[in-house]
Amino acid sequence: MSAEGPAPRRADDPGAIAAAARLLQEGRLVAFPTETVYGLGADATSEAAVAAIYAAKGRPSHNPLIAHVASLDDAQAEGLFSPAALRLAERFWPGPLTLVVPMAPTGRVCGGARAGRDTLALRVPAHPCALSLIRAAGRPLAAPSANRSGRVSPVTAAHAREDLGAAVSLILDAGPCAVGVESTILACLDGPPRLLRPGGLAREALEQALGERLAGAAKPGDILAPGLLASHYAPRAAVRLDAQSLEAREAGLDFGGRFAPGARVLDLSPRGDLAEAAANLFSFLRRLDAAGPAAIAVAPIPRKGLGEAINDRLARAAAPRE
């Protein structure tokens, strides 16, 4: 393995999934694709393996991880599901939805992955590579985004390699992620489900399935799930939101053709499609940041549907850096 880390291995190569599963069983780290972003996977039942995730990412240990499982049955062995949580899981899994639920007596996800809490975040990803890997490993996989903590999330195997280098033992490559933003996170604890983080599943679809409005977000400073830190998903350049035009030495992250075309402008969706914009968000942020602009100016983006998740990521990218 070079200092740059292992070259990505095609997920459909013979033996690739089995090799990755063996590494995970040995407590090693493996980057793999989901429908949302690439994840940095480790055995969620092993304190040592989970500690390696925090070290590789430079992630605060109070920031819990999502445990990925292959089925609802597997999830119910780890967590206790309220009627509302069960309804959501049956409707939207596999898919870009994470549910925070109480730990089950039979649960194996370790305290490190839960940041010491008696709750845990669970998801069944909708990606054939991810599901095959979880089944082959035979255990829940903790898998935050495969990048340095607080930075722009990876949506290709190359992004994961660039960010993590030799910290990861193997990178499975199945091409770009289809959704492009992380999962939506709901807390299904006391009271009605609460939206903790908007993501790849729109609020409207969840509220329609529940037949009621989602409750408000967590209290400030209450880190029940990933992605709740004020500064997150950030490029190296400063980010300026709701820009109407570009200033000197700025790059432009456009939406719907607001900015004049140019070498320093990338349009998330010239036709104003929010799903296309979400899929392009992190890749375009990385491409603009690589040119070293003074700042990245972001055109206004509607907040409906997936626009809620896009605006959430951009607001955290623009927040004061710690």
Side-chain angles (χ1 to χ4, degrees), residues 9-308:
R9 181 173 177 179
R10 285 182 55 90
D12 57 1
D13 283 351
I17 296 292
R22 285 194 297 272
L23 289 167
L24 290 165
Q25 290 164 352
E26 294 168 2
R28 310 279 286 279
L29 302 182
V30 171
F32 64 92
T34 76
E35 78 277 24
T36 57
V37 300
Y38 272 71
L40 178 60
D43 178 356
T45 71
S46 165
E47 294 285 4
V50 166
I53 285 181
Y54 284 105
K57 285 179 62 70
R59 183 187 181 97
S61 61
H62 67 272
N63 193 4
L65 307 175
I66 296 171
H68 294 67
V69 294
S71 69
L72 175 54
D73 286 345
D74 291 344
Q76 288 181 292
E78 301 297 331
L80 301 174
F81 282 64
S82 66
L86 188 59
R87 188 180 316 133
L88 291 168
E90 290 173 338
R91 171 68 178 82
F92 295 111
W93 279 354
L97 173 65
T98 294
L99 299 176
V100 177
V101 298
M103 184 79 173
T106 54
R108 298 183 293 161
V109 173
C110 69
R114 295 181 282 112
R117 296 177 175 273
D118 57 6
T119 60
L120 77 164
L122 290 166
R123 183 163 97 87
V124 179
H127 195 292
C129 173
L131 291 172
S132 295
L133 181 60
I134 296 165
R135 294 188 185 108
R139 63 205 66 195
L141 298 183
S145 56
N147 60 295
R148 294 288 295 174
S149 184
R151 294 302 181 184
V152 179
S153 298
V155 292
T156 68
H159 293 162
R161 186 187 191 197
E162 176 186 333
D163 283 6
L164 296 173
V168 61
S169 295
L170 191 152
I171 301 171
L172 291 172
D173 185 356
C177 299
V179 175
V181 293
E182 294 83 355
S183 61
T184 302
I185 302 180
L186 297 186
C188 296
L189 302 169
D190 298 327
R194 284 190 290 143
L195 179 65
L196 300 184
R197 179 182 74 180
L201 184 60
R203 174 196 294 266
E204 294 87 343
L206 293 161
E207 292 180 338
Q208 183 177 24
L210 288 168
E212 62 179 331
R213 299 289 296 273
L214 291 169
K219 299 175 184 177
D222 190 9
I223 308 297
L224 286 171
L228 303 185
L229 299 178
S231 177
H232 209 56
Y233 314 109
R236 293 177 178 82
V239 175
R240 183 168 68 90
L241 302 178
D242 296 320
Q244 303 299 319
S245 60
L246 298 186
E247 298 179 357
R249 298 186 59 233
E250 284 188 330
L253 187 65
D254 203 358
F255 179 80
R258 178 177 294 271
F259 301 150
R264 296 179 295 124
V265 174
L266 293 174
D267 196 325
L268 290 169
S269 178
R271 57 198 174 103
D273 184 288
L274 289 168
E276 181 182 24
N280 287 330
L281 177 63
F282 290 137
S283 284
F284 282 14
L285 275 174
R286 284 174 176 266
R287 285 171 57 184
L288 293 173
D289 199 35
I296 298 173
V298 183
I301 298 170
R303 296 182 179 274
K304 63 182 180 181
L306 287 177
E308 184 178 13

